[in-house]
């Protein structure tokens, strides 16, 4: 997924090993998405579903289908891995491998990196229509508060400085919600990839 590099040059990984989320973290996300797909987290009847949850559920559906097409078993919370499962192979297929192709240095000095290969990147490309653009916009928007804290500025002032990134985030997220709804209504194929 992403590695955050502190300004001093040391790396910090929250729930990450070798730049990838731990199996437990990925599994928790998978279970949450599965609950959404089965409707148990849909909320009260007649209430519109949470857009974040719709996008998460579609991301899960796309990444599961991608892994299955590669002959891999998607990670599941608490289910344990089947005997003979290669966790590193699943991790590389899901999160990408090799050096991260995307990188952004934040005003706080942290460096965030992500892959453009792997099932997660493919799902983001499908949903957002611009995976590198989504990476840049979401990293900036998700770090506005730390930037405000570090620069001793009001959050409103920092948000004003990042109007372009916020607008891109809103546009890409709206695109993702439309695509996610389509994915959930028409699931992707799970069989073997075409030869």
């Amino acid at each position: 997924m992403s590695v955050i590099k502190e300004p001093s040059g040391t790396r910090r990984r929250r729930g990450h090993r070798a730049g990838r989320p731990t199996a437990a973290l990925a599994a928790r996300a998978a279970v949450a998405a599965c609950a959404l797909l089965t409707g148990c987290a849909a909320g009260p009847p007649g209430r519109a579903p949470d857009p974040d949850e719709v996008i998460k559920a579609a991301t899960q559906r796309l990444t599961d289908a991608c892994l299955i097409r590669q002959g891999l078993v998607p990670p599941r919370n608490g289910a344990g891995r089947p005997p003979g499962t290669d966790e590193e192979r699943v991790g590389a297929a899901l999160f990408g491998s090799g050096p991260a192709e995307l990188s952004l240095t934040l005003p706080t000095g942290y460096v965030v990196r992500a892959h453009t290969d792997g099932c997660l990147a493919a799902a983001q490309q499908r949903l957002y229509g611009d995976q590198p653009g989504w990476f840049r916009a979401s990293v900036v928007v998700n770090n506005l508060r730390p930037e405000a804290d570090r620069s001793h500025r009001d959050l409103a002032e920092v948000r004003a400085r990042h109007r372009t990134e916020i607008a891109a985030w809103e546009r890409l997220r709206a695109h993702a919600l439309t695509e996610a709804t389509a994915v959930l209504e028409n699931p992707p194929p799970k069989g073997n990839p075409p030869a």
Side-chain angles (χ1 to χ4, degrees):
M1 196 167 219
S2 61
V3 174
I4 299 173
K5 189 172 180 183
E6 293 189 14
S8 66
T10 59
R11 289 180 181 228
R12 175 182 63 169
R13 294 184 181 103
R14 282 190 218 143
H16 290 69
R17 185 188 70 212
R20 294 190 182 93
T22 62
L25 182 61
R28 282 193 299 269
V31 167
C34 286
L36 287 170
L37 293 174
T38 61
C40 63
R47 188 173 183 185
D50 179 350
D52 290 335
E53 298 304 322
V54 171
I55 292 169
K56 286 177 189 176
T59 300
Q60 184 66 50
R61 185 169 280 181
L62 289 169
T63 56
D64 281 358
C66 175
L67 290 171
I68 291 167
R69 283 192 304 271
Q70 296 178 55
L72 300 169
V73 177
R76 292 289 176 254
N77 189 24
R81 305 290 299 160
T85 300
D86 183 356
E87 279 192 48
E88 285 190 27
R89 190 167 158 235
V90 171
L94 185 58
F95 301 112
S97 60
E101 299 85 2
L102 300 175
S103 178
L104 184 64
T105 302
L106 296 168
T108 58
Y110 290 100
V111 176
V112 182
R113 293 180 172 88
H115 289 277
T116 58
D117 64 332
C119 293
L120 181 59
Q124 289 174 340
Q125 180 62 38
R126 163 75 193 278
L127 295 174
Y128 297 98
D130 179 3
Q131 192 237 353
W134 174 249
F135 168 78
R136 284 188 302 278
S138 65
V139 168
V140 169
V141 169
N142 290 332
N143 285 283
L144 293 174
R145 169 64 65 194
E147 181 180 342
D149 292 345
R150 179 159 176 122
S151 65
H152 306 290
R153 293 186 172 126
D154 282 342
L155 182 58
E157 182 182 347
V158 171
R159 289 179 60 82
R161 293 181 64 218
H162 291 289
R163 277 189 289 258
T164 303
E165 292 91 345
I166 293 169
W169 184 92
E170 289 171 346
R171 177 181 48 79
L172 292 166
R173 186 171 178 280
H175 184 273
L177 182 57
T178 300
E179 289 297 313
T181 301
V183 165
L184 294 174
E185 290 173 357
N186 303 302
K190 291 185 180 179
N192 291 328

